[in-house]
Amino acid sequence: MNPVSDSCPHREACCQFGRSDKIIYGFLKEVGTNVFVHGTYDYDLAVIGGGSGGLACAKEAVNHGARVAVLDYVTPSPLGSKWGLGGTCVNVGCIPKKLMHQAAILGESIHEAVAYGWEVPAVGDVKINWSALTEAVQNHIKSVNWVTRVDLREKKIEYINGLGSFKDPHTIVATMKNGSKKELTARNIVIAVGGRPIYPDIPGAKEYCITSDDIFSLAHPPGKTLVVGAGYIGLECAGFLNSLGYSATVLVRSVPLRGFDQQMAGLVVAEMETRGVTFHRRAVPVSVEKMENGQLKARWMNTETKEQSEDVFDTVLLATGRYALTADLNLPAAGVGCVAPNGKIVAATEQTDAPHVFAVGDVLQDRPELTPVAIHAGRLLARRLFAGGQQQMDYDNIATTIFTPLEYGCVGLSEEEATRRHGADSLEVYHAFYKPTEFFIPQRNIRNCYLKAVALREAPQRILGLHFVGPVAGEVIQGFAAAIKCGITMEQLMNTVGIHPTVAEEFTRLNITKRSGKDPNPASCCS
Ligand code: FAD
Ligand code: NAP
């Protein structure tokens, strides 16, 4: 037990207590009937949630000499899916999603290879083996779970496989799988519990539908699938399922990828439609019932005409957003009151209204739900807590990519948001359709390969947003995201010499403005 009186990071917020041998600082926030006075703790930092943000914060904290414990616990999905240490990204998010996207791309490449002269036997019969795919994906995930556990052990971070909740501001109770309880105290506590899929309140949702928590380990091929929701997850899942050979239908409540540049979202959807995905617009689910043959009858309603439609599917996948996992935490016991109605924590600088309790990652209100955001915020927080760091997380200009069949990568403002903030007259939008070289053999649809730069009109035309629909969009946008951070202008972009032949070089070739009304279609591959 180490006295913490001299090093308490919240000395200003705490009160002094005289003791015969020394002064200790007491945290006097009144919580119900509890008045917690701290002096010694089991850990300098306890992290609730061993996902992207929590693990990054924990590892950075031990690098700076802190004694750290991480609690991680996965409550099974209604279908019974559960997984290991590492959080959403590793187990039921970015990683399995990217692997299934890659499987879909490879399937298409087999067909394309023939046009390049590859002699593929019976290419018409090529089809995916779903159980081989899920087995390969799950094996990779298990190896990451294992490496993560070993990493924590080597770094001397205590891993507790229990569901954490607050007993008082500095005490956490972990409920283990067998129901036993373990208590620990910590001077600082980071909440990094992430979120889980929302089930719409319709008959049959929890009984018969699956979510992204289940799809990557689904024991049987999904077959004909209805995807409810047209956000990141809905479009990505519909995209890879369709490319893997499973019919996919998407219900769009308002617009696809709401909040994103709608011209780009339109191209993403147009490409998916060309490839066979069906979209029902202005459609909300009404019910899902199981038929005698085991298939699912789904009904939905058009929100404008109120007309109802139905169809039969093998799988209904709900992708209607995610809620934060704060309900189990007993936050009032910690003195954390800044919780939005959706359960997310409001904490502008990751510090909650209990000064020693912090939050990072998906659990935060109004922050992008992205792995690198959680990781970066977690690391910076650990440096501020244990290494005298001053740097705050900058949530602006965070690049992202939607891994649809034609990917969409962007950084900065959409054209709509730039117009709202600056006015259309103050903007110059450069744009172009382009032909990726690899789309010539075999001739592939290039109608939706498009990019644009949204810039201020006044010289030197600082760039506010870059948008790209095409192959490897994430790889293309990542470097430009660094340039945007550095304040890149159109002048500088146009003076950048491209790498030929790549799709990323298309940004350096932009020269047509929307205002000019000139044709943004490409003339030839090397013009
Ligand atoms: P999480 O990674 O969710 O970790 C929280 C952990 O805390 C979980 O293990 C949870 O079980 C545990 N926990 C919860 N409550 C408790 C408790 N009381 N006690 C103990 N443990 C608890 N982001 C990208 O950047 N790129 C992508 O391509 C991408 N694809 C995605 C695809 C899908 C299908 C999904 C669902 C998400 C995707 N994301 C992607 C988002 C990304 O996964 C999240 O932003 C990221 O995982 C958030 O990290 P986190 O640390 O906040 O929470
Ligand atoms: P999301 O992007 O918020 O999309 C939710 C979708 O469901 C929206 O289209 C929404 O329609 C619709 N919806 C919500 N309630 C509905 C209802 N009752 N009936 C019908 N439709 C409904 O959420 P998400 O796709 O679940 O993704 C969650 C987060 O994970 C994302 O914000 C993202 O940050 C992260 N993620 C990232 C990646 C990536 O980086 N590639 C991939 C996947 C997930 P409205 O628009 O009308 O509300």
Side-chain angles (χ1 to χ4, degrees):
M1 302 273 268
N2 297 327
V4 295
S5 56
D6 295 334
S7 55
C8 174
H10 315 300
R11 283 168 79 133
E12 316 77 50
C14 297
C15 303
Q16 289 186 9
F17 286 83
R19 274 213 332 213
S20 54
D21 49 345
K22 59 182 167 241
I23 301 277
I24 63 168
Y25 290 87
F27 179 53
L28 265 186
K29 195 171 175 80
E30 194 125 15
V31 184
T33 54
N34 292 330
V35 177
F36 193 88
V37 177
H38 73 65
T40 61
Y41 302 101
D42 302 331
Y43 299 97
D44 300 311
L45 173 68
V47 179
I48 312 180
S52 310
L55 290 175
C57 184
K59 289 182 201 171
E60 188 66 19
V62 286
N63 283 346
H64 300 294
R67 296 162 307 148
V68 181
V70 172
L71 290 84
D72 191 60
Y73 189 87
V74 178
T75 309
S77 75
L79 198 77
S81 307
K82 51 184 195 268
W83 49 90
L85 176 63
T88 303
C89 171
V90 166
N91 294 285
V92 286
C94 331
I95 302 302
K97 182 273 308 289
K98 185 77 189 288
L99 294 174
M100 292 219 170
H101 176 62
Q102 177 64 10
I105 289 172
L106 283 174
E108 285 161 9
S109 301
I110 295 171
H111 292 272
E112 285 161 23
V114 175
Y116 285 89
W118 281 100
E119 294 177 359
V120 182
V123 71
D125 295 339
V126 169
K127 61 178 182 344
I128 193 77
N129 177 332
W130 178 260
S131 30
L133 170 63
T134 48
E135 190 184 333
V137 169
Q138 292 304 317
N139 283 345
H140 173 68
I141 291 171
K142 287 191 180 82
S143 75
V144 179
N145 297 149
W146 172 251
V147 169
T148 308
R149 283 186 81 142
V150 172
D151 195 28
L152 291 189
R153 199 178 313 139
E154 283 174 354
K155 290 192 160 66
K156 303 208 174 353
I157 296 171
E158 169 121 23
Y159 163 51
I160 300 163
N161 185 199
L163 185 73
S165 69
F166 284 93
K167 181 179 176 190
D168 62 44
H170 290 269
T171 309
I172 295 167
V173 181
T175 306
M176 317 303 272
K177 228 182 269 174
N178 62 6
S180 65
K181 311 253 184 213
K182 183 173 174 160
E183 271 190 30
L184 59 117
T185 59
R187 189 188 327 159
N188 300 288
I189 296 167
V190 170
I191 300 170
V193 292
R196 293 291 285 269
I198 295 171
Y199 285 75
D201 187 15
I202 56 161
K206 284 204 171 153
E207 295 89 331
Y208 308 127
C209 300
I210 66 164
T211 69
S212 54
D213 282 356
D214 310 298
I215 184 74
F216 305 113
S217 57
L218 200 65
H220 51 82
K224 180 180 171 186
T225 302
L226 176 69
V227 176
V228 183
Y232 273 89
I233 297 176
L235 293 192
E236 289 183 340
C237 289
F240 72 67
L241 288 174
N242 177 67
S243 304
L244 292 174
Y246 306 110
S247 151
T249 299
V250 181
L251 298 189
V252 186
R253 180 169 68 174
S254 55
V255 292
L257 297 176
R258 183 161 53 82
F260 283 88
D261 190 291
Q262 280 302 299
Q263 185 190 9
M264 309 307 283
L267 294 167
V268 167
V269 168
E271 179 71 20
M272 290 176 71
E273 284 181 315
T274 305
R275 291 170 183 236
V277 179
T278 303
F279 285 83
H280 295 299
R281 291 173 172 79
R282 306 268 161 212
V284 290
V286 172
S287 63
V288 177
E289 63 186 87
K290 196 162 198 163
M291 303 187 341
E292 268 178 19
N293 67 0
Q295 287 191 295
L296 302 174
K297 187 188 281 180
R299 296 182 72 79
W300 61 90
M301 185 183 71
N302 182 299
T303 51
E304 278 165 2
T305 62
K306 308 293 176 212
E307 203 178 306
Q308 292 204 6
S309 312
E310 64 178 41
D311 198 354
V312 174
F313 299 90
D314 300 303
T315 299
V316 177
L317 189 152
L318 304 172
T320 48
R322 298 170 63 79
Y323 68 95
L325 281 172
T326 49
D328 288 331
L329 291 174
N330 192 20
L331 287 175
V336 177
C338 43
V339 180
N342 62 3
K344 292 214 172 195
I345 294 176
V346 183
T349 58
E350 293 93 35
Q351 187 172 32
T352 71
D353 49 353
H356 68 294
V357 180
F358 304 82
V360 294
D362 284 9
V363 74
L364 281 174
Q365 171 80 346
D366 293 332
R367 298 301 190 206
E369 294 176 13
L370 295 170
T371 278
V373 172
I375 291 175
H376 203 67
R379 279 198 193 128
L380 289 179
L381 172 61
R383 283 178 210 155
R384 293 201 299 278
L385 287 176
F386 300 108
Q390 298 295 318
Q391 197 184 334
Q392 294 289 346
M393 176 71 187
D394 178 2
Y395 289 95
D396 277 343
N397 289 324
I398 285 162
T400 183
T401 289
I402 295 126
F403 294 93
T404 35
L406 255 196
E407 299 171 6
Y408 168 32
C410 62
V411 56
L413 302 185
S414 65
E415 195 174 336
E416 292 92 339
E417 183 58 21
T419 306
R420 197 184 65 76
R421 289 193 198 178
H422 299 277
D425 284 349
S426 307
L427 298 181
E428 200 70 276
V429 179
Y430 291 82
H431 69 153
F433 286 94
Y434 67 98
K435 296 178 185 172
T437 308
E438 51 275 44
F439 279 24
F440 283 106
I441 305 177
Q443 281 288 345
R444 285 174 57 184
N445 177 27
I446 52 157
R447 269 201 308 276
N448 302 311
C449 292
Y450 176 81
L451 73 164
K452 70 179 171 185
V454 181
L456 288 174
R457 192 170 177 187
E458 197 182 332
Q461 299 196 318
R462 185 166 65 80
I463 299 175
L464 306 173
L466 292 173
H467 302 266
F468 177 93
V469 170
V472 295
E475 315 299 336
V476 170
I477 282 291
Q478 183 65 85
F480 288 112
I484 289 254
K485 274 265 179 216
C486 300
I488 188 171
T489 63
M490 275 313 291
E491 216 170 276
Q492 290 165 330
L493 186 62
M494 288 163 156
N495 275 317
T496 302
V497 177
I499 303 169
H500 191 67
T502 64
V503 286
E505 72 173 321
E506 299 297 339
F507 272 117
T508 66
R509 291 152 60 111
L510 282 173
N511 64 84
I512 293 172
T513 63
K514 278 195 173 177
R515 188 186 308 281
S516 73
K518 285 188 191 155
D519 181 6
N521 284 297
S524 81
C525 79
C526 301
S527 59

